[in-house]
Every structure is written in C-alpha cells, then in structure tokens.
Amino acid sequence: ARRVDSVLAVDISQAMIEYARAQAEVQGLDNVSFEVMDIQKPLEFPDRSFDLVNVRFINFLPAAAWLKLIHEFERITRPGGVIRLTESEWWYYSNSPALENLNAMIILALKLQGGSFSQSGRFTGVLPMLGGFLREIGCVNITYVPHVIDYSAGTEAYEGFRHDAAVVFKLFQPFIARMGVATQEEVDQLYEQMKFEMMRDDFRGLMLPLTVWGEKP
C-alpha cells in the first residue's frame, strides 16, 4: 500500500472544520489539515495537486453543479490518480415515519430548487449518475462498491447517526419551509417526532451508500 504523506479536507461550514480539527487532534493525526471552501466555486488548488480526490455525501448539490465540479476534480488530480465518489439516497431506510417524511421533504425541496436528477422527485437520483460522471472526464477502470450501514438502536453506528440526524434535519428546516414543502410548524413537529422515534429501542435504520471510483489516465 502507498504511504499517505498528507491529507487535506474541505467543507463549507466553519463549525464542521473546527469539529474535524478537534477530532484529528484527539486522534493524533498530524498529517491532516482542514480548510473552509465552497465546492460550488472553482477549487482553490493548482492543477494536478492530488493523488486521490475523495468526495462523499454531497447529494444536496444542485444537479447543474455536478458536472462543473467533476471537471474540477479531474483538473486537480494527477495522471494515474484516483477520483472516488461515495453517495447515498439520504437516510433511507428506517421504521421511523417522521424520519421517512423528513427525507421526502428534503428531496422534494431539492427537486424544486433544481437539485435533483430524478424526474419524480422521490429520490435525488444521483446514484445512477456517478459512473457516468467519471466516464465524462475520461476515467478508466471504473469500479462500483456498494455498502450497508446499519444504524439501528444498539448498533455501533447508532449514536453517531442519531446525533447527525438531529443536526442535519435541524439545519434543513428553514430550506424545507422556504421552498414551500411544509410550514415551519409542521417541520418542527416532525423533527421532534423523529428524535423521539430514533430513541426507541425498536428503532431500525439502514443506509445503503455506493462508492464509485476511477483512474485518471
């Protein structure tokens, strides 16, 4: 395996960057650095900067932003390097009605904003697009690897996912209301119901991410 000399991670949220820095410090990761950056704008890196460009869970991006971003990934990747994309259809699947409804509201709001590849608006539709994105920029040896993450009550992933759900769906509340999908009162009620349902001993949830990677010739 190739030794990793350094890792640079970016996110648009200053709070998330500070959280990541704290986690890296706790784990003694001295070869990792973090920057605040908006990936919907040209990336602030020179051409051919990275051996690996690893991107995950940006399915909230408008559909029109994807191709421009993919070309930026190609630009900053060295020949022989790898571009790896990991996405999922949000928090599917669970036995929480409120979580299911909040999922549907966010996906519909994204559709109304132009952020969906799905004609029906039931899904973001990004998963079938990933391989095509890599082919668009000339990648070869494209590989698909599906994953299963069980975040049911009692699993190792449970507490982390429960915390993330509380943060993510709170942040998206104003967006759902602004797009006219539901009122703020309706979203607040669903949010509190979701937190209650996710705390039940019989809560069950699965996330089914897909990783697709390809090599830049």
Side-chain angles (χ1 to χ4, degrees):
R2 182 186 300 179
R3 184 173 66 89
V4 177
D5 294 318
S6 62
V7 175
L8 172 62
V10 303
D11 194 277
I12 195 171
S13 166
Q14 180 68 49
M16 289 301 297
I17 291 295
E18 291 173 0
Y19 175 74
R21 283 174 179 155
Q23 291 296 306
E25 184 175 350
V26 167
Q27 298 177 45
L29 302 175
D30 56 7
N31 66 334
V32 182
S33 58
F34 303 89
E35 293 184 16
V36 175
M37 192 175 297
D38 183 354
I39 62 172
Q40 294 194 63
K41 297 178 180 178
L43 301 177
E44 300 168 18
F45 302 118
D47 296 355
R48 304 183 175 188
S49 297
F50 300 99
D51 294 310
L52 169 66
V53 174
N54 183 60
V55 186
R56 61 177 187 170
F57 304 138
I58 57 171
N59 53 9
F60 54 84
L61 285 183
W66 271 91
L67 269 184
K68 183 183 296 184
L69 181 59
I70 289 294
H71 282 280
E72 278 291 278
F73 294 158
E74 188 276 334
R75 179 184 67 79
I76 66 174
T77 303
R78 294 174 181 142
V82 171
I83 300 171
R84 184 168 62 193
L85 310 173
T86 299
E87 292 298 336
S88 73
E89 278 294 346
W90 282 84
W91 293 66
Y92 289 94
Y93 300 88
S94 82
N95 63 349
S96 162
L99 180 54
E100 184 177 339
N101 285 330
L102 284 170
N103 266 310
M105 286 180 176
I106 290 179
I107 291 170
L108 179 56
L110 289 170
K111 173 70 175 175
L112 294 172
Q113 190 191 42
S116 174
F117 292 99
S118 167
Q119 295 301 310
S120 69
R122 294 188 182 95
F123 300 94
T124 66
V126 70
L127 294 184
M129 308 298 294
L130 299 179
F133 289 150
L134 296 178
R135 286 189 290 272
E136 169 76 19
I137 56 175
C139 284
V140 297
N141 299 326
I142 295 173
T143 303
Y144 294 76
V145 177
H147 313 276
V148 177
I149 302 175
D150 185 351
Y151 60 96
S152 303
T155 64
E156 183 178 349
Y158 170 66
E159 287 296 342
F161 267 72
R162 189 165 67 86
H163 174 267
D164 289 350
V167 172
V168 168
F169 288 101
K170 189 68 173 179
L171 289 174
F172 271 89
Q173 280 187 348
F175 174 63
I176 293 171
R178 187 170 68 251
M179 297 307 295
V181 174
T183 66
Q184 186 65 52
E185 182 180 2
E186 290 169 335
V187 178
D188 284 338
Q189 183 178 352
L190 272 177
Y191 177 76
E192 294 302 323
Q193 182 184 342
M194 177 203 73
K195 290 197 296 182
F196 172 76
E197 290 170 353
M198 291 189 75
M199 290 181 67
R200 291 173 56 98
D201 291 340
D202 63 351
F203 172 75
R204 300 291 180 266
L206 286 179
M207 180 177 277
L208 305 173
L210 174 66
T211 297
V212 184
W213 70 81
E215 299 173 16
K216 177 177 175 179

